Amino acid sequence: NMLINRQITKELKNHLAKKEMTLLLGPRQSGKSTVLKYLESKLKKDGKRTVFLNLDILADKEKLADQTEFINFLRSLSLGKKHYIFIDEVQRIPEAGIFLKGVYDSNLNCKFILSGSSSLEIKNKIVEPLTGRKRTFYLPTLTFEEFINFKAPDLKNLSVIKLSFRKKILLLLDEYLRFGGYPRVVIEENHQEKVKILEEIYTSYIEKDIELFFEVRNKSSFLKLVNILAAELGGLLNKDAISAEIGSNRLTIDNFLNYLQASFVINLLSPFFSRPRREIIKSPKVYFSDTGLRNLMVKNFSPLETRTDKGQLFENFILKEISLKLGPTEKINYWRTRIGAEVDFVLSRGKEVLAGIEVKANSRQNLKPEIAMKSFIEKYAPEQIYLLNFLNFYKISKFNLN
């Protein structure tokens, strides 16, 4: 059974009835296997037939070594009743997209539920073989809401926080920003142990994804790059400076950045322009999918009030929460003028500017828009602006953009 209730489970359950593949993507150890196992146990309870293959296990991986044999194996199973086939860590299949397309198109009496900790497309960018055959879901490390529901269920309704709860919420936010949302880290109470688990998660990511899957030869450059990105959290990415610092060329750095994004470790945020073509040339900003993992890189787990980077951590947190609420046609960017005036986040849909968002790591009662935000409003007339800080950040649960 799942210790931590994950909000996506309901959507996944509903999708089990659909013919197309259910594909659950997310960072390594964000809880995907647990969710798959939970769905499997529910199906078994209802008397359904299931097969569970974990491709991190060698014996299971061998079952998928040959596409034709795998198809025959499934065909023999599913002659009678429909089977639900779970495949965990599906990126371990060479040319996964093409392999799965062939299996899916063999018209077996099977429903496929897959998980992956790397966006499958990275290996075969040229064709997206599974178009129209899958629906993708995303499981991040815990959101703050999931974190609260687990740690303090009495605070469930974040939108109407009573003043008396505010202290408790801020204590929880402090823990969440310091140690992040990996399920195993959240469940562990002891701070030293939390750090040990984060170390283990990072090591396993380096060994299984960076060395094995992406076959990175120059590991020390890769590790240096991750450390630089962590130190620059929320800052502009200067590839030339990084390339000089770690002694790798631009191409290598671009590859490393692609791997880090494809395996859901970092998010790069591009600048906002009303003419999208210009975005490509400008520097993106660097954020991490999980603040705990980021803090491991900079070896700093101190409480928020003593930190010089609390602003960046808080910004990172807001970005994660908003990103998960975006609809399929909505985008999030940052905005920056030539003279360096900045608005943290801009939400848009097509040519429509939905919101400008400014994030401040303080607890002031009355927030006023800064000069940058004022000039942004003049230029783009957003439908809404949000000024968020430690007192009112839960307003982001109201980002109902659709």
Side-chain angles (χ1 to χ4, degrees), residues 48-62:
K48 306 272 190 262
R49 312 244 165 131
T50 65
V51 173
F52 198 102
L53 301 166
N54 175 357
L55 297 193
D56 269 346
I57 296 167
L58 220 60
D60 282 359
K61 196 179 172 187
E62 278 166 13

Side-chain angles (χ1 to χ4, degrees), residues 103-137:
V103 174
Y104 184 86
D105 291 348
S106 303
N107 265 330
L108 304 158
N109 190 11
C110 292
K111 159 78 186 186
F112 295 91
I113 303 96
L114 319 166
S115 90
S117 41
S118 176
S119 36
L120 299 173
E121 291 78 88
I122 187 123
K123 277 287 199 208
N124 28 12
K125 275 207 180 89
I126 312 117
V127 205
E128 220 301 65
L130 295 178
T131 314
R133 296 172 175 83
K134 63 154 176 23
R135 176 150 167 229
T136 307
F137 297 85

Side-chain angles (χ1 to χ4, degrees), residues 217-233:
R217 300 274 168 269
N218 192 345
K219 200 172 81 181
S220 71
S221 298
F222 181 83
L223 297 174
K224 268 188 205 147
L225 171 74
V226 180
N227 286 338
I228 292 171
L229 297 177
E232 301 280 317
L233 184 71

Side-chain angles (χ1 to χ4, degrees), residues 44 51 61 116 126 147 154 177 190 210 261 294 300 313 323 330 350 370 381 392:
K44 278 186 161 155
V51 173
K61 196 179 172 187
I126 312 117
F147 178 82
D154 53 321
L177 291 187
N190 177 303
I210 294 313
Q261 286 181 93
R294 182 268 171 180
N300 180 357
L313 285 172
S323 302
E330 288 145 7
E370 312 230 329
N392 68 354

Side-chain angles (χ1 to χ4, degrees), residues 1-2 9 13 33-42:
N1 211 350
M2 282 200 295
T9 322
K13 261 198 215 146
S33 308
T34 311
V35 170
L36 256 52
K37 287 254 150 74
Y38 169 78
L39 292 172
E40 188 198 24
S41 71
K42 283 270 170 256

